[in-house]
Amino acid sequence: MVFIPVTLGIFLLILLISLAKLDTFISFILVCIFVGIFCGLSLEETLAAIQLGMGKTLSSLVMILGFGAMLGKLIAESGAADKITHKLVIKFGRKHIQSSLILVGFIIGIPLFYTVGFVILVPFAIALASKTKLPLLYIGLPMLASLSVTHGFLPPHPAPTAIANMYDAALDKTMIYGFFVGIPSILTTKYLLSGTMNRLVPKLKPEFIILNSNSHFKTPSLSVSLIISLLPVMLIAGSSFYLLIFNENLIIKSLSNPSIAMLCSVLFGIYFLGIRLGRSMSDIMAILREAISSIAMVLFIIAGAGAFKQIIIATEISLQLGTYFQSLELSPIILAWLIAAITRIIVGSATVAGLTTAGIMMPMVESSGIAPELLVLATGAGSIFFSHINDGGFWLFKEYFNMSIQETLQSWTIMESIVSLVGLLGVLSLNLII
């Protein structure tokens, strides 16, 4: 009986998003009202639970995601992303061009949202393929595998950060474990798809070659570009390592807080990627305002998922789900991956898949005995599985790479699936030693 309201709710969510093409946030709220009233809550109780869930979910995320969007926009607008890409590829040379672009995708993918990173890096990959006469997929696919890993596994990206918040997982540990899981996923993808990358040779689209769009401003040096891009990771992970080795220090401890780390990174970005390059403060603030507006819908989607989570708690479905799942002989890691993967295949959105799964899995996180950070990674891995025609990323890849639907399924979809499956194996392996 416990599965009926949850199943109906998820089915309704799928119908509203996929068939009715209704906004995801509105769909979440309608599903919350439906499940709440279906389970016996009054309309007032349902709305109270929705408001509580939204508030709890967003309270610890708004600063992290807001500052993350600001930093990403500064990196993109200042030319730091172009600088990193050009210099690293030149340094690695033609022989190691794949490795250089994997590194570029990882570095750029950490502070930037997936679509922004895609739009910045893919035109460069197209230009590079034209210049070197190497197959476009050979150059671009490993780089996009890096972007997918950062998108699915690593804070401060919205879905991993929100899932970590729901599971009460430490962001610094999630980030560190995410590196150990993500890097093998990328390298495995590179190896397994080596034949596909050379066999499929799409015709390049010159209209997507857009480089040096900010040439009228000074550009930062490579060292500054790298430091600012990686500063959130260095502050969060570095402070955590320091506290493990040395005595507790109040200042160092504050720098390990993701909100403080992101704030410091934005402040450094304002100076080194803005003021120092000749931009006025009004120009910089306009860039930051545009960054905030770009993340508004993401925040609403996360808020909707938080409301759904709270409805599950308020109706006591969570307790019944937790009891049932504990009776299964299935590992919670596999279960989290499976629910996220199924939702991803049906809905299309990795963010929706991850957050919906988190609401279902949350009751059993504490009692599972498994590190919550590993469950965050398992959920994130499942949420990027088998991207196909109902995912915006699928069509973005298809159009930029000028491929047919069949070719996109053979390359992009397989790439996302390999990253997802190897990510799951990595989480299961880490669980044996953590």
Side-chain angles (χ1 to χ4, degrees):
M1 183 66 181
V2 65
F3 287 103
I4 294 178
V6 174
T7 303
L8 289 176
I10 293 176
F11 184 67
L12 178 60
L13 184 67
I14 292 166
L15 288 177
L16 293 175
I17 295 174
S18 301
L19 296 182
K21 306 298 182 184
L22 193 62
D23 175 77
T24 304
F25 174 68
I26 297 175
S27 300
F28 261 123
I29 299 304
L30 290 175
V31 167
C32 288
I33 294 172
F34 169 78
V35 173
I37 294 176
F38 183 91
C39 292
L41 296 180
S42 67
L43 181 60
E44 290 76 13
E45 291 171 332
T46 301
L47 292 176
I50 290 173
Q51 292 169 357
L52 179 62
M54 291 174 63
K56 281 184 175 181
T57 301
L58 290 181
S59 61
S60 60
L61 295 181
V62 170
M63 285 195 293
I64 298 172
L65 300 184
F67 290 144
M70 292 179 186
L71 181 63
K73 190 69 173 176
L74 284 171
I75 290 169
E77 291 291 327
S78 66
D82 280 346
K83 178 72 72 172
I84 292 170
T85 306
H86 281 283
K87 293 293 184 180
L88 288 186
V89 170
I90 291 172
K91 185 175 180 62
F92 277 77
R94 179 189 173 100
K95 184 178 179 181
H96 301 290
I97 196 167
Q98 279 189 322
S99 299
S100 67
L101 288 174
I102 286 173
L103 184 58
V104 165
F106 216 82
I107 293 172
I108 296 301
I110 290 172
L112 293 180
F113 293 118
Y114 187 89
T115 303
V116 177
F118 186 104
V119 172
I120 289 174
L121 293 180
V122 169
F124 173 77
I126 293 173
L128 198 60
S130 176
K131 182 178 180 180
T132 61
K133 306 305 179 184
L134 289 170
L136 177 56
L137 289 186
Y138 178 88
I139 290 176
L141 210 56
M143 179 186 70
L144 292 179
S146 283
L147 281 180
S148 291
V149 163
T150 59
H151 174 64
F153 298 162
L154 299 180
H157 281 267
T161 305
I163 295 167
N165 178 61
M166 290 184 178
Y167 289 171
D168 198 24
L171 286 181
D172 52 355
K173 289 183 179 179
T174 303
M175 185 180 293
I176 293 168
Y177 296 161
F179 281 112
F180 285 109
V181 171
I183 292 173
S185 300
I186 299 167
L187 297 179
T188 303
T189 302
K190 174 180 175 291
Y191 173 75
L192 292 179
L193 288 180
S194 58
T196 301
M197 289 185 286
N198 288 288
R199 179 172 54 84
L200 297 179
V201 185
K203 185 178 179 181
L204 301 180
K205 279 191 172 184
E207 63 264 30
F208 287 136
I209 303 177
I210 307 171
L211 297 175
N212 299 323
S213 58
N214 296 293
S215 58
H216 55 288
F217 283 108
K218 295 179 184 176
T219 57
S221 66
L222 176 62
S223 58
V224 169
S225 300
L226 284 170
I227 290 172
I228 298 299
S229 297
L230 294 174
L231 191 56
V233 177
M234 292 190 291
L235 290 176
I236 295 171
S239 300
S240 300
F241 277 124
Y242 179 93
L243 295 173
L244 285 175
I245 300 172
F246 301 102
N247 294 329
E248 187 165 314
N249 181 293
L250 187 60
I251 296 177
I252 299 297
K253 186 176 181 179
S254 66
L255 290 177
S256 68
N257 182 291
S259 297
I260 298 298
M262 294 303 302
L263 173 60
C264 292
S265 301
V266 169
L267 292 176
F268 276 98
I270 288 173
Y271 178 73
F272 286 102
L273 302 181
I275 295 172
R276 195 177 180 187
L277 301 180
R279 294 180 185 270
S280 67
M281 186 59 79
S282 59
D283 288 339
I284 297 169
M285 291 304 106
I287 291 173
L288 299 189
R289 284 193 297 271
E290 187 178 347
I292 290 297
S293 65
S294 70
I295 197 181
M297 188 48 64
V298 175
L299 287 174
F300 272 107
I301 292 172
I302 292 173
F308 183 62
K309 172 206 72 175
Q310 195 62 37
I311 287 292
I312 292 176
I313 294 174
T315 55
E316 297 188 349
I317 293 174
S318 60
L319 296 176
Q320 299 175 63
L321 285 173
T323 301
Y324 175 79
F325 286 141
Q326 286 172 3
S327 69
L328 295 177
E329 306 244 339
L330 200 59
S331 164
I333 290 175
I334 295 177
L335 188 63
W337 182 90
L338 189 60
I339 295 173
I342 292 171
T343 307
R344 156 72 155 179
I345 291 171
I346 297 172
V347 176
S349 168
T351 302
V352 173
L355 295 176
T356 302
T357 302
I360 296 171
M361 287 295 300
M362 196 180 62
M364 63 182 302
V365 172
E366 186 175 347
S367 61
S368 68
I370 294 172
E373 295 80 15
L374 295 184
L375 289 175
V376 173
L377 297 177
T379 305
S383 73
I384 59 175
F385 180 73
F386 203 80
S387 164
H388 61 99
I389 59 174
N390 62 356
D391 176 27
F394 178 93
W395 296 102
L396 197 63
F397 178 89
K398 177 187 178 300
E399 292 305 315
Y400 267 84
F401 282 74
N402 196 23
M403 304 181 78
S404 67
I405 290 179
Q406 181 180 348
E407 290 171 335
T408 307
L409 288 168
Q410 292 172 346
S411 52
W412 165 264
T413 301
I414 298 301
M415 180 270 288
E416 291 276 89
S417 300
I418 292 173
V419 169
S420 175
L421 289 167
V422 177
L424 171 62
L425 294 176
V427 174
L428 290 171
S429 300
L430 276 180
N431 187 50
L432 297 176
I433 58 177
I434 292 176

